[in-house]
Amino acid sequence: MNEKEIRNIGIMAHIDAGKTTTTERILYYTGENHKIGEVDNGEATMDFMQQEQDRGITIASAATTCYWRDHQINIIDTPGHVDFTAEVERSLRVLDGAIGVFCAVGGVEPQTETVWKQADTYKVPRIAFVNKMDRLGANFYEVLNEMEKKLGATPVPLFIPIGAESNFTGIISLLEMKALYFSSEDKGSTITKEDIPADYQAKAEEYREKLIDACASYSDEITELYFEGEEIPTNLIISTLRKCTLERTLLPVFVGSSLKNIGVQPLLDGVVDLLPAPNEVPPLKGYWEKKDKEIEVIHDEKGPMLGLIFKIVVDPKAGPLCFVRMYSGILKKGVAIQNITKNKKERVNRIVRMHADIMTDLTELKAGDIGVIIGFKMAQTGDTIGTEAHPYLLEKMHFPNPVISVAIEPESTEEQEKLKKALESLSLEDPTFTYKDDAETGQLVISGMGELHLDVLVTRITKEMKIKARVGNPQVSYRESITGEAEEEFSFDRTIANKENWAKLTLSAKPLPAGSGNVLKISANTRDIPEEIIAAVKSGIEGAFKSGIKFGYETTDIEIDVKDIAYNELTSTPFANEACANMAFDAVCQKAGAVLMEPIMNVKLSAPTQYVGDVISSITSRGGIVNSMESRVGSDLISAEVPLQKMFGYTTVLRSSTQGRGTFSMEFSHYAPKA
């Protein structure tokens, strides 16, 4: 199959908008599944983890492949819950196009905005599907309005609904100007085309006009035909829409109800007609570390072999399953490749295509394709694989720091080994999950992105992996930073085994704006200094960034500049320079005024209008700042920033103050000095 016939797409949306249900329908109509699995009864193909079936939500992005109109569609089903944002980000990184699923009742919800921004960052072309038109309160036109206001998109409907709520019976194609009805007897597989009902004729003509108008802005040919009163060919409208979708200037909108099997096949046509093939996406930026220069990676089967590991799932029997997106060249089974990120050789034992958790063996993966490699021992999420001859590093992924921790204790020494192995494989799978031994308390501490994220991980450890362990209460992951600027000269001199180890460094420290992370600069003249001494200085400071200043927490938003490195070829050793850098860091940061930082969360709350006063006072009493309020039909949306420490147990408070009708989601915003 050539690249023109491949589509790598993701399905993204807010929790509960119907992404997984939509994917189930896609698999059914493309013939991959012979029956439709439902999320509500725990039988969805893509939610194959026990946790997903129990909770009715998607946690890990599952990959599958299906075929429609002679095109291969690789689908990544991504989570909608805010705690699993990294899963979405990871998937978007390797996708060429995406379907944004919107709930016809909820419209543009907070998490939709988050994933939309992520897709904007990675410049992913999108089409939209307004789902759940059969639900009470469904309003297609209000959703279009919200897309424009909240996402800054230019929505262009290709279909409009016939009826809404319990009267939703079909859709009108504005391209063909026909009404489409989906048979309930064979789960929507049979589509009947009829004339547009008389009472929808005016609406259909109005929106057909809008569609032509939107396309005319980007096509002189359509404009000419329009003014001449000529018929505008459908393929011309589609090719113009495709161009605009790839350039992200228009957002084609589809409509339906996945649960009622209405409108999914036109959406599949939209994937083939409007979303890009791998070779239509702009070249990827790569980095040649040795020569310190950027290069462009062009999608080409004849190019050097280059791929990105965007996800790892550890299978108890097969070991790590590395999900790979190939960008250039051909990866063959049985060959040795280079892990460019780790600078290590690995062997490709097996290549498989995944259908959720079922594997099909392949002999090779070509540029533009997505598959799974079995047999890698050292690979991690975000690693680039390729050849020694072309050691190009594909852009590194950046994941947010975990903000919440719990202590976990195995019940016996025997369980301790099992726990360590389990934590190892979980951190391979999920870069936002970390674990460490706390030197002060002697406890094993695991950290994640939120209460649900940690709860899922802990449940996987205790139930899925059957490890007997005691788990503490969640704790906030604090950070340390500095308030002022300082400079310090520091020397280290120690005799070990009759050998003098000496080092002298001058360091300066200054605070950076919130969210900048740590920066290490070396402005010292290093011309006559050996590479291993410079590496030792870097290693000492990087280690110090992690071990903190005053309180032992990791540091953030600090810039360290190594102003001078003294060198004596007889006594300067890597050990002395590493130790000196570590101690100099402590000294200069103490001088610059160390401060404890706490995570501040962006909190989005939705509550019925009559309870808004109580909700706002419960937020302000927790030291929160309300940033904005927005009225919706029957409920208000409140946006606030609150310290994470004060949000533990807030679910219960919100439920009791809104008679169980309030909901909230939160994600990390920034670190601020602890009040």
Side-chain angles (χ1 to χ4, degrees):
M1 185 156 288
N2 69 33
E3 282 196 68
K4 283 193 177 66
E5 288 157 359
I6 293 178
R7 298 287 179 273
N8 292 316
I9 65 158
I11 297 183
M12 52 187 232
H14 186 86
I15 188 167
D16 240 10
K19 296 180 306 302
T20 303
T21 309
T22 304
T23 310
E24 288 298 321
R25 297 309 182 274
I26 287 174
L27 297 179
Y28 179 70
Y29 297 130
T30 55
E32 283 299 314
N33 280 1
H34 300 297
K35 75 180 185 77
I36 295 177
E38 300 296 358
V39 174
D40 298 343
N41 60 19
E43 287 182 2
T45 311
M46 300 299 272
D47 287 351
F48 56 88
M49 272 167 66
Q50 189 59 45
Q51 288 270 306
E52 298 180 309
Q53 292 168 8
D54 294 348
R55 294 170 194 262
I57 60 170
T58 303
I59 294 165
S61 49
T64 192
T65 300
C66 58
Y67 297 86
W68 185 254
R69 282 174 36 195
D70 298 328
H71 284 68
Q72 177 184 317
I73 302 173
N74 297 322
I75 304 173
I76 310 269
D77 178 30
T78 61
H81 197 282
V82 72
D83 282 7
F84 306 104
T85 299
E87 278 281 350
V88 185
E89 186 124 349
R90 238 191 270 188
S91 308
L92 285 175
R93 173 69 179 72
V94 296
L95 296 175
D96 301 326
I99 301 172
V101 179
F102 296 81
C103 171
V105 184
V108 176
E109 293 167 286
Q111 181 65 6
T112 318
E113 293 182 57
T114 308
V115 292
W116 206 260
K117 280 186 197 131
Q118 288 174 324
D120 281 340
T121 307
Y122 290 119
K123 298 184 171 61
V124 178
R126 276 147 280 175
I127 58 177
F129 179 58
V130 178
N131 189 23
K132 301 199 175 186
M133 273 308 297
D134 58 313
R135 285 267 305 276
L136 196 64
N139 187 334
F140 175 68
Y141 303 101
E142 183 50 39
V143 180
L144 294 179
N145 195 16
E146 285 194 12
M147 285 176 185
E148 216 162 322
K149 269 205 239 151
K150 293 186 179 174
L151 305 176
T154 310
V156 181
L158 305 190
F159 295 84
I160 58 169
I162 301 172
E165 301 177 351
S166 56
N167 298 324
F168 177 57
T169 53
I171 58 179
I172 294 168
S173 164
L174 302 174
L175 291 167
E176 299 177 78
M177 287 305 272
K178 286 280 182 199
L180 308 184
Y181 296 99
F182 297 76
S183 158
S184 56
E185 283 161 28
D186 58 2
K187 297 182 176 161
S189 297
T190 306
I191 304 170
T192 314
K193 291 184 186 178
E194 292 179 19
D195 289 336
I196 296 167
D199 44 348
Y200 281 94
Q201 191 68 40
K203 195 82 165 164
E205 279 167 12
E206 178 199 340
Y207 274 87
R208 162 88 179 179
E209 193 76 15
K210 285 183 178 178
L211 169 63
I212 300 297
D213 200 38
C215 291
S217 312
Y218 299 97
S219 164
D220 294 341
E221 204 177 331
I222 291 179
T223 312
E224 279 170 35
L225 289 170
Y226 180 71
F227 283 127
E228 285 164 13
E230 297 279 330
E231 186 64 38
I232 298 163
T234 303
N235 59 4
L236 179 59
I237 299 174
I238 289 173
S239 64
T240 306
L241 276 173
R242 182 184 181 84
K243 180 173 160 280
C244 295
T245 307
L246 301 198
E247 289 166 359
R248 305 187 342 277
T249 47
L250 294 180
L251 174 68
V253 181
F254 295 76
V255 65
S257 162
S258 296
L259 196 64
K260 293 278 183 282
N261 309 316
I262 297 174
V264 178
Q265 296 95 319
L267 180 66
L268 274 166
D269 287 334
V271 168
V272 169
D273 291 336
L274 305 173
L275 289 177
N279 59 353
E280 291 173 299
V281 178
L284 196 73
K285 292 267 183 292
Y287 181 61
W288 195 345
E289 222 166 10
K290 204 171 176 186
K291 303 214 169 173
D292 190 19
K293 68 172 187 183
E294 266 199 357
I295 50 125
E296 281 197 343
V297 177
I298 295 157
H299 279 80
D300 184 6
E301 283 180 21
K302 297 183 178 72
M305 193 259 287
L306 214 53
L308 184 81
I309 297 172
F310 66 94
K311 176 182 170 61
I312 291 180
V313 176
V314 179
D315 184 278
K317 295 187 186 102
L321 308 179
C322 301
F323 285 74
V324 173
R325 160 73 202 259
M326 290 306 294
Y327 284 99
S328 170
I330 299 173
L331 175 74
K332 291 187 188 293
K333 183 177 141 183
V335 299
I337 57 100
Q338 183 82 355
N339 181 327
I340 295 160
T341 313
K342 301 264 191 311
N343 199 15
K344 293 271 190 308
K345 278 223 170 336
E346 292 262 36
R347 180 161 288 281
V348 182
N349 293 345
R350 228 178 125 193
I351 304 174
V352 297
R353 172 105 54 227
M354 293 299 281
H355 172 54
D357 58 343
I358 299 158
M359 302 177 188
T360 312
D361 277 283
L362 301 173
T363 54
E364 59 182 28
L365 274 183
K366 294 180 178 178
D369 212 345
I370 286 176
V372 172
I373 296 173
I374 300 174
F376 286 173
K377 291 186 170 60
M378 289 164 287
Q380 266 184 305
T381 298
D383 284 358
T384 304
I385 60 167
T387 59
E388 266 181 293
H390 300 92
Y392 307 145
L393 209 54
L394 295 167
E395 221 178 324
K396 281 190 177 170
M397 294 188 180
H398 297 286
F399 295 115
N401 288 322
V403 290
I404 187 168
S405 310
V406 296
I408 186 164
E409 238 173 66
E411 283 186 2
S412 64
T413 339
E414 188 191 335
E415 296 293 305
Q416 191 161 9
E417 272 311 300
K418 287 202 303 197
L419 180 62
K420 277 275 169 75
K421 276 193 179 135
L423 295 177
E424 240 169 67
S425 64
L426 285 173
S427 64
L428 261 187
E429 287 182 23
D430 184 350
T432 59
F433 166 71
T434 60
Y435 66 96
K436 64 171 185 184
D437 285 306
D438 191 315
E440 284 178 28
T441 62
Q443 285 178 310
L444 188 60
V445 176
I446 60 174
S447 310
M449 296 308 297
E451 282 184 273
L452 177 68
H453 187 206
L454 273 189
D455 187 26
V456 166
L457 290 163
V458 166
T459 313
R460 282 191 69 188
I461 291 166
T462 53
K463 301 255 174 73
E464 211 176 283
M465 300 171 179
K466 298 185 173 51
I467 294 165
K468 295 186 185 102
R470 288 184 291 273
V471 181
N473 290 325
Q475 302 292 322
V476 169
S477 294
Y478 292 106
R479 291 283 183 271
E480 292 185 64
S481 196
I482 52 176
T483 51
E485 296 187 24
E487 192 169 306
E488 186 76 22
E489 184 181 274
F490 197 89
S491 57
F492 176 93
D493 196 354
R494 197 123 344 133
T495 305
I496 298 168
N498 295 328
K499 179 168 172 33
E500 191 183 349
N501 291 268
W502 175 85
K504 189 158 103 180
L505 300 168
T506 306
L507 261 57
S508 75
K510 70 171 186 185
L512 293 172
S516 307
N518 296 317
V519 174
L520 169 57
K521 281 167 64 178
I522 298 184
S523 60
N525 181 359
T526 56
R527 204 176 57 215
D528 300 325
I529 296 171
E531 190 59 51
E532 64 265 26
I533 298 291
I534 298 162
V537 171
K538 280 184 182 171
S539 169
I541 292 167
E542 276 158 8
F545 277 144
K546 288 194 172 70
S547 56
I549 308 160
K550 227 184 193 174
F551 311 99
Y553 294 108
E554 207 173 307
T555 63
T556 187
D557 307 331
I558 297 176
E559 182 184 288
I560 296 290
D561 186 2
V562 182
K563 294 280 183 90
D564 188 49
I565 304 173
Y567 179 66
N568 177 327
E569 60 183 39
L570 297 173
T571 57
S572 289
T573 61
F575 161 73
N577 276 278
E578 188 167 343
C580 183
N582 207 297
M583 291 168 171
F585 175 90
D586 272 0
V588 75
C589 289
Q590 294 275 16
K591 199 172 171 183
V595 62
L596 189 63
M597 310 284 278
E598 68 176 341
I600 305 294
M601 309 302 278
N602 266 334
V603 181
K604 297 265 171 67
L605 304 105
S606 171
T609 312
Q610 66 264 40
Y611 303 116
V612 163
D614 293 346
V615 171
I616 289 176
S617 67
S618 76
I619 285 293
T620 48
S621 69
R622 285 172 157 68
I625 298 161
V626 174
N627 293 331
S628 68
M629 246 184 77
E630 183 191 319
S631 287
R632 286 185 166 185
V633 183
S635 71
D636 285 8
L637 199 64
I638 302 157
S639 210
E641 285 183 356
V642 194
L644 174 62
Q645 176 67 50
K646 304 283 175 63
M647 288 302 287
F648 287 136
Y650 185 66
T651 308
T652 317
V653 174
L654 183 66
R655 279 184 188 149
S656 62
S657 64
T658 59
Q659 292 188 1
R661 288 155 69 194
T663 59
F664 80 98
S665 71
M666 60 180 183
E667 63 180 322
F668 173 69
S669 168
H670 62 280
Y671 280 98
K674 186 165 164 52

